[in-house]
Amino acid sequence: MEPPHNSVVRTPLNSVIVQRRSKSKSYRQSYRSCLGAASRLGLTPALTARRLNTSRRAPKSHNISEKVNPEHLALLLKTEWKLSYVSPLYKFRHTQLKSYSRQLSAFIAAEKQQGLAVEVEGLQSGFRVTLSVVQGLTETDDDAETVLIQIHANPLFARQDEPQRSVWSGWLTCINGNTDYLHSLPKDFTCLPLCGCSGSEYLSGLVKSWFQQTFDCCFGPLEINHTSLQWLVALWTNCHMESSLQHLKMSWTLPVVPPLQVTYTVNPQDAWELWCSVRAGRQEEDEEEEEGGSIDIKEVMRLMQGLKGHFFRHFRLDLSAGSLRQVTTALGSAKCNGRIKISNSRYMITTLTLLTECALLKMPI
Amino acid sequence: MSSLKPFSKLPGLNTANILLVESEEQFQQSLADALVEETSVTVNVRLAKSLPLPLENEESRPRIDLVVFIINLTSELSFQSADASLKYLDPGYFLGKVCFLVTNARNASVPTERLDTVRKLAASLHCPLLFAEDQTPDGVTNATERLLTILKVAAGLVPLATALYLSNLTQCTVPLDIDQPSFD
Amino acid sequence: MEDSTRRVLQRLIRRIPTPQLKTTLEKWSGMTVAQRGSMDYTQTKWALTEKLLSLCEENDWTTKHITELEMIYVIDNPNQGMWHGFQLLDPEDDAHSVELTQFKEQFKSHLGELVRHVSVKIKKHTDEAVWIRIAWGDSFSRPNHLKPTYVVHHLQTPYVFVTGLTSKQKPLLSQALVLSTRHHTIKDANLSGRKLTAIRDLLMKQYQQVFPTNFPSPLAEKNETVSNPKIEREQAGPGAHRHQMACEAFGDGMLPQLQSAVYKLETKFKDHTNRTMTERDEPFKCIVKFESTNLLESLRYCAASGIASTPVTPLLSSIPLKGRNYFVITDNGPGPSSQMHQSQN
Amino acid sequence: MEGTSTKGGVLSLLSLLEVQARSRRHVPPQRSRVKELRAEAEALRVRREQLKTEIQTHQSLQRLRTSLDRQSTHDEEEEEEEEEEMDEDSENSQLLKLMARHTRVKDLLLAHHLIGGYDIVKTRHGKGVCVSVATAYEGVCLETYNLEMDLKPTLRICRHNVPPFVPLSSLAEQGDMQTDIRAFLETLSQHLNAFAGRKQQLKLVKEQHKTIEVMESNALCSILVLMFTVPKTKTAILCTLNYSDHTACLPARVQFECDVKEILESTEWRKNCSLLMETPLHKALMTMKKMGNIV
């Protein structure tokens, strides 16, 4: 064929589908072989199948405060975490956390000595690393236990007797991980796909690179996309009766010049009633379902549509043109750049389940 | 309801006419500027925010050989607008004279579901789905090249190739398992 | 020299960024030419402060000198702090003939009657604005020069701009202003922002407004860029119309840099697909805040690009039209809280 | 030649001579002179032709104008006659007609402004109107102010760009806008024109009289304090102009202040006082300067 056609064939959509085509269409495969199948989206055929759940169980309040060490819980709750996804860890043993702590301490110390240029980053010395298991922060038997990493250090101008201060903390977790996926993993792999960090970027980088070297895994930033944020709006609103939202605050950014930010704060009671009205229609449809059993993505969309509709009725301005950037309630806050804060322990499991799912999706396999 | 028809007018000599539909009216301008640079054929570009096109331009409008819907994935509105415009096209256009051009597909805040919806739409209409980078000059050149290739075929300027034939090769198809949730 | 003077000077120098320090000091009459020449602005802030403190000792500067310096700085850099707009109402017949000297005297004497210890400094700026600096004290304490209130008023106009005012001082200032400008009352204009210039331009209508006209609009002429004849915009007409509507609502060209607007909505939730909520009696309560580096320009873009539909809703066009950026919206007219009747369905 | 030789020295003089010699060699001066004159004659002839046609155009334009003016008042029959008469060469006559129309429209517009007309535009499908009030001072068009009004339920000003120090709302109340909008617009126009006039005068004073210091002015331009200097004695005189009638361009009260009281009591300064009250400020100052009363 003449050259111009090549550029048509180069369109990425083909590369994604070629493999699924019947073999009789062999010319396609020949194109594929000469162009390389790399999709511009980085989607591999196997991944096209994986989507966020379209329906999920309504958040039950889990009283994890009884199960989880209160000190750990307090740490998890008070901090805003920067999220990443982690591919499965090779030969990771929950029994060897002590030795990992030592190794990581040594690694950080060594790196510190090497990179004098970054000394400004941390005015501390004498790093002490602790890896520990957060008992009870799992949902199913397939979930690996959550691991907490804490780094303490002496402030640079500290007195002798001053206690070490926590300079960095992070965790790796898996809550309600997809069973099929977890079962399909080879024997020596542990799946803790969701990672949260809090502390200096430099230390985050060090910890990540140690994990990468030691367990042959990879890290990547986990953004919370539009749909996940909408899920959080619904999931959190659904909790209002048991634990007050105080307010439901959503921030949109509209792509105009200069950029316009719209913050929409809804009275919690009104948000709850809107949510109920959106749910009510559904419960009439299929009554056999247990009450408050599961939430469908359609209901989430209806809630958002209701909120946007009310906004549009007043301002004649379509929020759909922009993107949801942030959701804040008394139960927690989430930003699209992958920062999350969970303020209420009772709904931590629900939120982490959603995020685990997102992490598994984002993970290149 | 006036719909745009593919064969209601005579073609011009060595001329190809393309209609770019984009609700945000941002990428279309740079794309148009690049498209008219083409020297081997005369390319006329018509720009629209949405369909239907205004009646008063009916006379002056040449035969449109290719309709391109530009969809910015970061904006829900962009898709909705394109979707609403489709019904103003004559069915004849869907025989290889329509294509979708998606921008911002790699943006982190874009939910994968949105791309799926566009994919399904393109597949159901047997149209090709292109991806483009709208921020860099390279991206614009790339997108222009691809559109020109399709345009030339659609306008009947490539011997032995027809729009229908090309679209049969390039139309978007949806993976079989797109609707199967992988969890639960 | 008093200790308090030193403190005021120290605080002030800390506030002024080094690049502005030179221009500010040069406009000030407190230093001799030789002293001005001896200043080395490449030094650190700390060293400069020390130098000025020693000069303060030498020249025997009083608080009066220092406050003058402060006023010079604030007048040159007005876009700091939160400025609030106030509107004077019900002018008396002679309100229009109030002139500066008379106003100065009246304001000082009226405020002096209300508060025992108060230090007032009034200065007229080149753009006809009267700047008033008030350091408040009470019957026991002397005026606190560290937390002054600044008031900007253009004589013969009904607008006053204030920053750094506490709720306790508000009635005192209001009374003094009302009396000395020959008005009966003063009310909050519900407009506030970090940029004094923006608030002033908005209230005094010092920006380019666009009105409908029969003559070929200058807008259309301006937009006529030399475009390629091969490119044609199908919906150029509606696009231009949207642009015209957007400009009529928000103005043309550079707009006052307002940065936010807040709406407190307590209106009925109406949605034909949602009967439960529509039939509910209580209003749906929410607060909407718009933020941008230049809100009016953002909103104009929204309307011109079609993100916001035209004609622009009165809720948004009220920002420039009424010159306010705080609104309480309720469904029914009566009641003290309903500041804007919501007319659309 | 001498000038250059003294300035530039021998070498520059030599090079100058060389250039002259070279140019002489190339073009015989005699012939070039003849040519020059011929070209000039040609150019003048062309110019004469141009002027002739211009006169012709102007005349026909005049004729067209009068016929147009007559047309608007007379019957249509005559119009056709004129049409035939003018149909000499269509291209030119078309253009001429257009030009005649243009001048006519311009004159009409001027007349419209002169009789105090306002441009009114219907807005929002007849639910409102937009009125524009033009201001001018001494034949110079200044700012145009606009009022957008709702017609129903009652006439109400909903948007305007009148400066805040013009008491628009009280004018609307007093002038009984509901029943007599013309009267209201009339007073508003007076206010605006007077304001524009005062502002323009102040601007002119600042431009033309640099020696006079403007001590004080306000946004409404209703109070003006100037400082004059008397020549010779260099005495400073403070002059306060009070424009208490806001619909007037001239001050209602003029007051002088001076340390030397005798100056103010002189007849000259009494005259100056009435001069300032009766003539526009910049002109009055000009006269005072000419009389030698001020610097």
Side-chain angles (χ1 to χ4, degrees), chain B residues 24-181:
Chain B
E24 280 148 336
E25 296 183 298
Q26 281 174 351
F27 187 34
Q28 56 173 207
Q29 189 61 54
S30 51
L31 211 51
D33 290 336
L35 279 165
V36 294
E37 295 289 301
E38 173 68 17
T39 46
S40 66
V41 293
T42 316
V43 178
N44 290 316
V45 186
R46 308 291 282 202
L47 305 176
K49 193 177 171 65
S50 62
L51 299 185
L53 297 179
L55 271 176
E56 61 266 25
N57 294 350
E58 196 74 48
E59 287 286 305
S60 67
R61 188 183 306 128
R63 182 173 105 171
I64 301 289
D65 298 305
L66 181 67
V67 181
V68 182
F69 289 97
I70 303 171
I71 298 174
N72 173 5
L73 276 195
T74 48
S75 155
E76 215 176 320
L77 200 62
S78 184
F79 172 75
Q80 288 166 0
S81 163
D83 193 36
S85 294
L86 280 168
K87 60 172 182 275
Y88 298 100
L89 277 185
D90 188 85
Y93 267 107
F94 296 100
L95 302 172
K97 284 169 179 278
V98 175
C99 80
F100 292 91
L101 185 71
V102 161
T103 62
N104 277 322
R106 300 180 69 165
N107 194 311
S109 70
V110 171
T112 34
E113 294 77 19
R114 214 175 273 164
L115 179 59
D116 288 348
T117 329
V118 180
R119 251 171 212 251
K120 276 189 228 162
L121 179 71
S124 70
L125 297 168
H126 300 281
C127 298
L129 175 66
L130 308 181
F131 292 85
E133 166 64 59
D134 59 341
Q135 303 296 322
T136 59
D138 271 358
V140 176
T141 326
N142 252 325
T144 311
E145 244 172 63
R146 293 194 208 175
L147 286 180
L148 276 175
T149 317
I150 304 178
L151 176 64
K152 280 180 199 165
V153 176
L157 301 173
V158 178
L160 299 177
T162 64
L164 191 58
Y165 171 65
L166 183 67
S167 85
N168 196 32
L169 296 178
T170 55
Q171 63 178 256
C172 179
T173 43
V174 177
L176 296 169
D177 50 3
I178 198 163
D179 272 333
Q180 291 170 5

Side-chain angles (χ1 to χ4, degrees), chain D residues 171-181 183-184:
Chain D
L171 284 184
E173 276 166 34
Q174 287 163 15
D176 199 15
M177 190 172 71
Q178 300 304 329
T179 50
D180 192 1
I181 180 125
F184 160 68

Side-chain angles (χ1 to χ4, degrees), chain D residues 162-214:
Chain D
V162 175
F165 36 79
V166 174
L168 186 64
S169 49
S170 63
L171 284 184
E173 276 166 34
Q174 287 163 15
D176 199 15
M177 190 172 71
Q178 300 304 329
T179 50
D180 192 1
I181 180 125
R182 263 204 100 82
F184 160 68
L185 287 175
E186 188 62 33
T187 33
L188 177 65
S189 173
Q190 273 175 5
H191 267 90
L192 289 172
N193 270 297
F195 163 63
R198 292 194 301 266
K199 210 167 112 184
Q200 184 73 0
Q201 285 178 46
L202 181 61
K203 197 184 135 210
L204 290 172
V205 167
K206 279 182 183 164
E207 274 172 16
Q208 297 172 357
H209 306 277
K210 297 262 157 57
T211 49
I212 292 162
E213 200 180 340
V214 179

Side-chain angles (χ1 to χ4, degrees), chain A residues 312-317, chain C residues 241-250 299 302-304 306-317 344, chain D residues 123-125 127 148:
Chain A
F312 184 80
R313 206 165 62 76
H314 288 91
F315 297 103
R316 302 270 158 219
L317 205 155
Chain C
H241 184 245
R242 271 204 313 272
H243 189 246
Q244 170 77 21
M245 299 285 267
C247 287
E248 275 178 28
F250 299 108
L299 290 174
C302 279
I307 291 176
S309 45
T310 41
V312 178
T313 144
L315 251 63
L316 291 177
S317 59
Q344 77 264 56
Chain D
T123 57
R124 286 170 286 140
H125 308 287
K127 279 187 215 149
E148 212 180 318

